[in-house]
Amino acid sequence: MSDVVVARSLDEAQEALASHPDATVLAGGTDLMVEINRGLRRPRHVVGVSQVPELRRWSVADNRVVVGAGVTYTEMMTTALADAAPALAQAARTVGSPPIRNAGTLGGNLGTASPAGDTLPVLAALNAEIVVTGPDGERRMGLDDFVVGVKQTSLRPGELIVAAELDRPRGRQEFLKIGPRNAMVISMAGLALVADHDARTVRCALGAVAAGIPRAREAEAWVAERIDWDNGAAVSDAVADEFGQRVAAASSPIDDHRSTAAYRRHAVAVLATRALKRAFAEGGNGDA
C-alpha cells in the first residue's frame, strides 16, 4: 500500500517531497499507471500534484511562452497556447485519446523523459528552459541538461518540475510524427521544426530516433544559408530533400518491436523534408 499525499499548493507539494525525497510525483498518471498495472513500479510514497494551481498556469508574452508543468494536452490544443506555440498544439493533438489528453500533462511528458515523448522535440526546437524547484531552491536548464538518457532526467531527490519557458519566434512551426496507425500511437519517429525569421535560423529536433532529443544542428546551419529570408520564396525540392538527408544523419535510431533503425532513419528524412516545405511555402511572410 502506497502512502499518497494530494497536494493543493506548490508549498504543500514541496513539503511532501521534502519529507519523502524519493516519492513518485503523480500528475495525470497516463504513463505511471501503465507501469503500475504491469507490475513495473511499486512506489512507496506518491505525491499527487494535479490539484496544484501554480502548476496549471500558463502565460504568453511577445517573445516568450511559459507553460506550467500541470497544463494538459487538451489545454495546449484549445487555449491561446495553440496560437502562441503551434507546434506544441500539433504535438498535443497526436497524444492518445481525448481522456488521455484531458489527463496527461507537459510535466508528465518531461518527467517520463521517453525519447518518444511527443512534446519533447517541440520543447527542444523552441529552446525550452525547464524550471524545477526543490530543497536547494529553483534551477533552470535546457532540455539537453534535463533529459540525460532514455527515461532518465537530472532531477534531484525532492525536486519538482514547475514549468517550461519557450521562445516565441516569428515564423512557422511544425510537428510531424509517424507510427503504425493514424491515432493513439507511440511515435516511431518524430520531428519538430521552427523557423525564426528574425534570427534567420531554422531549428529542428528529433524524437524517438536517439537516446535523447537531438537537434540536427549541422542541417540547421546548412539550410539557413539556402532560405530566401527576404522574399519568402518556397524552398526548392533539391534543398528540401538534401535537408532531409542531413537531418536523418543526426539521428541514431535502434531496431525494436515498433520499427527498424533503417525505417526510422528514412522516416526522419521524409518528415524533415515535409516540415521544411510547409514552413517555407511560397509567399510565406514568417507568420506562425
Side-chain angles (χ1 to χ4, degrees):
M1 180 70 70
S2 297
D3 172 30
V4 180
V5 173
V6 179
R8 286 179 168 79
S9 71
L10 189 57
D11 285 343
E12 284 187 15
Q14 290 179 294
E15 288 172 6
L17 287 170
S19 298
H20 297 287
D22 61 340
T24 297
V25 176
L26 173 64
T30 58
D31 290 322
L32 177 62
M33 292 310 300
V34 172
E35 295 184 341
I36 290 176
N37 289 337
R38 289 178 176 174
L40 302 176
R41 295 277 295 275
R42 285 290 182 266
R44 292 181 56 201
H45 305 285
V46 176
V47 178
V49 296
S50 62
Q51 303 300 312
V52 176
E54 295 95 325
L55 302 182
R56 300 294 299 272
R57 295 170 183 162
W58 56 268
S59 63
V60 176
D62 288 343
N63 60 357
R64 203 71 171 156
V65 178
V66 179
V67 185
V71 173
T72 66
Y73 298 115
T74 296
E75 290 170 313
M76 297 176 214
M77 296 163 44
T78 59
T79 65
L81 273 176
D83 294 324
L88 195 62
Q90 291 169 11
R93 290 188 189 99
T94 74
V95 174
S97 60
I100 295 296
R101 294 193 290 270
N102 288 340
T105 64
L106 183 69
N109 214 209
L110 277 164
T112 299
S114 167
D118 290 319
T119 67
L120 303 191
V122 179
L123 298 182
L126 289 173
N127 288 338
E129 189 173 50
I130 312 305
V131 183
V132 305
T133 187
D136 298 323
E138 183 180 280
R139 290 198 298 140
R140 293 169 175 263
M141 67 202 89
L143 194 68
D144 280 349
D145 292 325
F146 181 82
V147 178
V148 295
V150 177
K151 295 190 175 183
Q152 295 180 330
T153 74
S154 59
L155 280 174
R156 299 168 183 167
E159 285 191 326
L160 177 69
I161 304 167
V162 175
E165 297 189 4
L166 324 174
D167 284 352
R168 191 185 180 191
R170 185 176 64 88
R172 291 286 298 272
Q173 302 178 16
E174 301 290 341
F175 173 81
L176 299 171
K177 84 176 193 182
I178 189 167
R181 57 181 186 263
N182 290 331
M184 292 190 290
V185 62
I186 297 175
S187 176
M188 295 192 307
L191 176 146
L193 184 144
V194 171
D196 186 336
H197 283 252
D198 293 324
R200 299 196 170 197
T201 59
V202 174
R203 306 180 210 151
C204 185
L206 312 181
V209 292
I213 309 296
R215 286 269 298 273
R217 295 189 184 275
E218 187 278 335
E220 293 174 355
W222 179 87
V223 79
E225 296 179 352
R226 289 159 177 82
I227 301 294
D228 186 349
W229 297 101
D230 293 320
N231 300 313
V235 297
S236 69
D237 289 344
V239 167
D241 289 343
E242 177 65 17
F243 175 71
Q245 294 303 314
R246 289 172 181 261
V247 169
S251 68
S252 52
I254 60 170
D255 295 321
D256 65 12
H257 64 284
R258 288 200 297 273
S259 177
T260 65
Y263 181 75
R264 282 189 164 106
R265 191 173 287 108
H266 169 74
V268 164
V270 173
L271 295 179
T273 299
R274 290 178 182 172
L276 187 70
K277 286 182 175 180
R278 292 181 185 181
F280 293 95
E282 189 168 5
N285 60 6
D287 293 334

